[in-house]
Amino acid sequence: MSAISRQMSATYGFVERNWALTRRYIGWEVVWLVYGTVSTLTIGLIGADSQGLAGQERVLYLLIGALLWSYLSVLFQIMGETVAWERWEGTIEYTFMAPVHRFTYLTGQGLFAVTYGMIRTAVILGITVLWFDLDMSKANLLGGFVVLAVASVSFLGLGLVAAVLPLLSPERGPQATHIIQGLLLLCSSVYYQVTVLPGWLQPFARLNPATYALDAIRATWIGGVGLAAVWPAMIRLIATGAVLVPIGLMIFQAGERYALRTGKLKRNG
């Protein structure tokens, strides 16, 4: 077996292990699915006081923002709790000493996070469409999910940065990942147009991959356009992902070396 085949097999192994952990705690997964659905419905109800097409567009605008926020939360939760899960399961020493490249390990974590997040988002979307009786006949649903998949590369790069926080602080690191989520929420068009932000924050919003992902998904799901129409946003997302993933990997490896040197890797609190 070639080195590439071994690494690919190891990547799938990490995906399979995370799926096994999800099945073990399936009750809690259902709880969080219900929580995510209720949160999305609550945001949608803000726009439900309008009537007609404009009212539907307003509801969809808010729902898409809530769905992406829920999706981001899942990605950051899985990536941010990577080290925490290893500590809880007592496998952290075996995993970090295994002859597997760290990129392979993190890729497996990321693939599971994206797959799980996509399924969860599709379920919540189906429930919200039925709840608000939305007409999605003209929506390009597949195009929207393709945009979300492309944007996920950038989000995973940021997730790698978030994953280093539990390495640096076993006690408060996992909670600190919410800081990065909050900044993404603030500097994007999740619930409002970027133009309403203060002038000094708008440049940060233009660098935020969530802004371009939201614009493209809204164009496909509300406007019904094809991927060719949102290709400029896709190019930005691809370029952002190509930059953020290597940076995130380097930051995670630097954090791992620091944790090993200071003895924080094995600590449970």
Side-chain angles (χ1 to χ4, degrees):
M1 182 181 294
S2 66
I4 296 178
S5 297
R6 287 195 298 270
Q7 295 299 321
M8 290 180 63
S9 178
T11 298
Y12 173 75
F14 289 117
V15 174
E16 191 174 33
R17 187 189 65 171
N18 277 279
W19 172 239
L21 289 172
T22 300
R23 286 184 299 173
R24 180 189 300 179
Y25 301 105
I26 191 64
W28 282 110
E29 299 300 332
V30 172
V31 169
W32 287 111
L33 176 62
V34 173
Y35 171 77
T37 303
V38 172
S39 298
T40 304
L41 292 174
T42 301
I43 297 300
L45 287 170
I46 296 175
D49 57 352
S50 300
Q51 301 296 324
L53 181 60
Q56 172 166 302
E57 289 182 353
R58 183 182 180 187
V59 172
L60 272 175
Y61 185 93
L62 292 173
L63 285 178
I64 291 170
L67 282 170
L68 184 70
W69 179 241
S70 177
Y71 178 77
L72 274 174
S73 296
V74 170
L75 257 63
F76 274 72
Q77 177 185 353
I78 293 176
M79 297 302 294
E81 290 185 350
T82 293
V83 176
W85 274 105
E86 299 287 355
R87 287 194 177 101
W88 294 335
E89 295 296 316
T91 58
I92 191 166
E93 292 180 338
Y94 303 105
T95 299
F96 281 77
M97 291 176 64
V100 176
H101 195 278
R102 194 61 65 236
F103 179 76
T104 302
Y105 168 65
L106 294 172
T107 299
Q109 298 290 114
L111 285 176
F112 172 78
V114 171
T115 303
Y116 178 78
M118 286 282 191
I119 295 173
R120 188 176 182 271
T121 301
V123 171
I124 296 176
L125 175 63
I127 294 173
T128 52
V129 167
L130 292 175
W131 178 280
F132 292 103
D133 193 23
L134 299 175
D135 180 14
M136 303 291 288
S137 59
K138 296 181 180 179
N140 182 5
L141 292 176
L142 179 60
F145 276 103
V146 171
V147 172
L148 186 59
V150 173
S152 296
V153 180
S154 298
F155 298 150
L156 286 176
L158 294 170
L160 291 176
V161 177
V164 79
L165 296 177
L167 282 173
L168 302 179
S169 175
E171 296 83 2
R172 294 297 182 182
Q175 293 90 337
T177 60
H178 296 294
I179 297 173
I180 298 178
Q181 294 182 47
L183 291 174
L184 288 176
L185 174 64
L186 176 65
C187 299
S188 71
S189 57
V190 172
Y191 300 130
Y192 41 75
Q193 295 287 346
V194 170
T195 52
V196 307
L197 290 170
W200 62 275
L201 272 180
Q202 292 186 22
F204 294 99
R206 298 301 177 189
L207 295 174
N208 186 352
T211 300
Y212 300 104
L214 283 164
D215 290 344
I217 294 173
R218 283 175 175 138
T220 56
W221 286 2
I222 298 177
V225 303
L227 290 176
V230 296
W231 187 243
M234 298 272 282
I235 291 293
R236 291 187 178 95
L237 290 171
I238 292 171
T240 304
V243 172
L244 288 177
V245 169
I247 292 176
L249 181 61
M250 288 189 294
I251 291 175
F252 185 89
Q253 289 178 319
E256 179 185 347
R257 290 192 294 269
Y258 171 79
L260 288 170
R261 187 172 64 251
T262 57
K264 292 186 176 181
L265 194 62
K266 183 60 178 174
R267 287 169 57 191
N268 291 292

